[in-house]
Amino acid sequence: MVPKPIILTTNPPTYSASPLLKVSSVRIEENPRTQTLRSPPTSIPTPTPTRKTTSNTPAEPSFPNKTSSTPQTAAPVFKKQAEVSIPAVIFNAFDDIINKFIDPPLRPSVDPRHVLSQNFAPVDELPPTECEIIQGSLPPCLDGAYIRNGPNPQFLPRGPYHLFDGDGMLHSIRISQGKATFCSRYVKTYKYNIEHDAGYPLLPNVFSGFNGLVPSAARGALSAARVFTGQYNPANGIGLANTSLALIGNRLYALGESDLPYTIKLTSNGDIETLGRDDFDGKLFMSMTAHPKIDPDTGETFAFRYGPMPPFLTYFRFDSNGAKQPDVPIFSMTSPSFLHDFAITKNYAVFADIQLGMNPMDMIMGGSPVGADPSKVCKIGIIPRYATDESEMKWFDVPGFNIIHAINAWEEDEGNSLVLVAPNILSIEHTLERLELVHALVEKVKINLSTGIVSRQPISARNLDFGVINQTYVGQRSKYVYAAVGDPMPKFSGVVKLDISKGDERKECTVASRMYGPRCYGGEPFFVAKEQENPEAEEDDGYVVSYVHDENTGESKFLVMDAKSPELDIVAAVKLPRRVPYGFHGLFVRDSDLRKQ
């Protein structure tokens, strides 16, 4: 028979997965009192055809009402035992052989006992739960919701697992009239639903499952067999939607760059619903970046997709109503590059061709298909943002400029120069394998569009990433950046405020900072303006918000910091009903925008 998955409960503040676990599938739930064995359904559901917005919301287990800051235990979920199909037995046995003998998780970077330890360990869903405000008060401009995305695997992996491989989970704090409600829900992607119903993973992890020719061939053959027998239909999507969120044409989306966006809705009580996978009336193909850029003046959204086959880059945009415009394939990018983010200005879209890309030969020799090429010269590509083809695309050599995230870009010198601000990864070869060795140096790069002359200035010597700005300055000259302090990455021990105009003076640009304290770590900061609609408001007149976790106590908080103060003073702190795992990117959505959903 197929081994039964176990729901492993953890007793905070210890969240490490035991190295003695030898089960095919483990579900981690935060429940200090009970342990519940769950038998998986063994019949394989028939995939449904895709359409513009496909509903992917399964029936939810019933939870008791939450009326206080103390989380209650969810009612145990028992599923009726069904007859196991013969293909499922064979495929799961083959999967175990691959994970135990052909490609076991030997390296720390892909060992789930290491990757999913401490506050990286996954949590179960939490329905809307009232929070306790333990310091200060929540400002009126925060009426709305701060939502952060991140990986949270629904099953403890049986084989190699990378930090980027978990199912997307949204952690939302809904604020209204000074009160806060917290909720955590999985993005109900097709992959999540089909595997949830099966009771075990069906597809291998993308970032960790294809290292070396033999493991890749074995897992590829197993995936093909599952597709052939109807266990999984890749036409309905393979993505995790675990990276970020965006508001496009008054619709809220959860994003992951390996698939199409998933439409999300926040209900009036603070709950999160997944409405479905959106192909924008059949005009959006395969995938889209998790970092689209929205012009604050026009309401347009600019985006792209990239892949291992030509064209390696495809650029496109959406109008202010969310209608997708035609693709612009970029064939002048001559090799596949790991193109995670980009920037826009008033007249251009800006792309970075970095040293991290697809390396099939490394995979054949036993390595990862994604790796660094130290001989490659990094380039910045600039294309008019309303281009209908790539004829006006220009590439500029910027050696050693490896960016994963872009902070902002704008034009200067009456449009003759373009400035890009971004963290430069000084150790790009460690980006996927040894994140703790990564150091990101924020730089300002200026390109003369006529002469091609490129100048570079460091902004800060600190290890910084996840930089954000006042969103009303996207594509325009901005002064302030709020960035997370790596200590080491992927943990962030604080947040700093940079005055990037000081970069012209060639000196340290940090003008304010807040460190969270010993063994306290936060995530990406996000800036919320006090008066978003006021054109006379100062750029830094607002608040910086973030989730922060205390590893000493096992508790998590939502912090609100005064962006104008020299020490980013805390004006409000909200105790969250349970810990929030470290994650990726977030978004604040104002109450007025939530009402338009």
Side-chain angles (χ1 to χ4, degrees), residues 420-441:
L420 172 65
V421 179
N424 179 20
I425 308 297
L426 301 182
S427 44
I428 192 68
E429 68 276 10
H430 298 310
T431 303
L432 296 179
E433 281 289 320
R434 299 288 303 277
L435 286 172
E436 71 275 10
L437 299 180
V438 166
H439 188 98
L441 177 71

Side-chain angles (χ1 to χ4, degrees), residues 234-286:
N236 289 339
I238 62 172
L240 304 164
N242 68 2
T243 307
S244 66
L245 300 106
L247 195 62
I248 303 174
N250 292 326
R251 301 187 77 179
L252 184 61
Y253 293 96
L255 304 173
E257 60 198 44
S258 62
D259 205 344
L260 302 179
Y262 276 82
T263 311
I264 302 298
K265 180 182 179 180
L266 263 68
T267 65
S268 58
N269 70 339
D271 210 343
I272 307 168
E273 297 179 354
T274 303
L275 301 184
R277 184 170 176 254
D278 197 345
D279 63 7
F280 291 82
D281 294 322
K283 296 179 181 179
L284 184 59
F285 306 103
M286 297 175 61

Side-chain angles (χ1 to χ4, degrees), residues 332-334 351-355 376-381 394-401 403 447:
S332 55
M333 179 178 279
T334 56
F351 298 92
D353 186 4
I354 65 174
Q355 291 176 326
K376 182 178 179 179
V377 177
C378 299
K379 301 175 183 294
I380 291 179
K394 293 182 179 180
W395 292 96
F396 302 87
D397 289 351
V398 189
F401 190 59
I403 71 170
I447 302 174

Side-chain angles (χ1 to χ4, degrees), residues 416-463:
N416 293 317
S417 298
L418 185 144
V419 174
L420 172 65
V421 179
N424 179 20
I425 308 297
L426 301 182
S427 44
I428 192 68
E429 68 276 10
H430 298 310
T431 303
L432 296 179
E433 281 289 320
R434 299 288 303 277
L435 286 172
E436 71 275 10
L437 299 180
V438 166
H439 188 98
L441 177 71
V442 177
E443 292 190 30
K444 179 192 289 186
V445 177
K446 186 173 183 177
I447 302 174
N448 186 305
L449 301 179
S450 300
T451 65
I453 295 175
V454 178
S455 61
R456 299 166 63 177
Q457 296 172 347
I459 299 299
S460 174
R462 303 183 77 163
N463 188 12

Side-chain angles (χ1 to χ4, degrees), residues 297-534:
D297 294 330
T298 67
E300 297 168 294
T301 301
F302 299 84
F304 67 93
R305 66 174 176 269
Y306 70 98
M309 303 294 290
F312 301 117
L313 169 64
T314 301
Y315 167 62
F316 50 87
R317 62 186 176 91
F318 304 84
D319 67 20
S320 59
N321 295 317
K324 183 184 175 296
Q325 305 305 300
D327 285 347
V328 180
I330 309 296
F331 290 98
S332 55
M333 179 178 279
T334 56
S335 63
S337 180
F338 186 75
L339 218 169
H340 182 66
D341 199 357
F342 79 129
I344 62 168
T345 70
K346 181 179 179 181
N347 294 296
Y348 299 100
V350 186
F351 298 92
D353 186 4
I354 65 174
Q355 291 176 326
L356 196 65
M358 310 292 181
N359 286 318
M361 290 305 297
D362 284 356
M363 185 182 72
I364 293 174
M365 299 302 293
S368 170
V370 179
D373 179 4
S375 65
K376 182 178 179 179
V377 177
C378 299
K379 301 175 183 294
I380 291 179
I382 300 174
I383 187 172
R385 73 181 202 175
Y386 296 111
T388 57
D389 58 53
E390 66 165 328
S391 59
E392 295 183 68
M393 184 90 179
K394 293 182 179 180
W395 292 96
F396 302 87
D397 289 351
V398 189
F401 190 59
N402 288 292
I403 71 170
I404 302 297
H405 295 116
I407 296 175
N408 198 21
W410 62 85
E411 298 158 41
E412 291 183 353
D413 305 328
E414 298 181 346
N416 293 317
S417 298
L418 185 144
V419 174
L420 172 65
V421 179
N424 179 20
I425 308 297
L426 301 182
S427 44
I428 192 68
E429 68 276 10
H430 298 310
T431 303
L432 296 179
E433 281 289 320
R434 299 288 303 277
L435 286 172
E436 71 275 10
L437 299 180
V438 166
H439 188 98
L441 177 71
V442 177
E443 292 190 30
K444 179 192 289 186
V445 177
K446 186 173 183 177
I447 302 174
N448 186 305
L449 301 179
S450 300
T451 65
I453 295 175
V454 178
S455 61
R456 299 166 63 177
Q457 296 172 347
I459 299 299
S460 174
R462 303 183 77 163
N463 188 12
L464 305 176
D465 203 350
F466 283 24
V468 298
I469 64 170
N470 183 329
Q471 294 297 293
T472 59
Y473 286 79
V474 170
Q476 305 172 32
R477 183 167 188 161
S478 55
K479 184 176 182 180
Y480 297 111
V481 170
Y482 308 89
V485 181
D487 187 33
M489 295 194 186
K491 291 184 178 182
F492 297 104
S493 59
V495 58
V496 298
K497 176 184 179 181
L498 306 175
D499 180 350
I500 55 179
S501 66
K502 293 181 179 292
D504 299 334
E505 306 167 16
R506 297 187 179 276
K507 62 181 180 181
E508 173 65 42
C509 296
T510 301
V511 293
S513 67
R514 167 156 295 276
M515 306 308 291
Y516 300 130
R519 299 190 67 216
C520 293
Y521 303 97
E524 177 192 55
F526 195 88
F527 177 86
V528 181
K530 284 185 180 179
E531 302 176 90
Q532 186 180 31
E533 305 299 329
N534 181 6

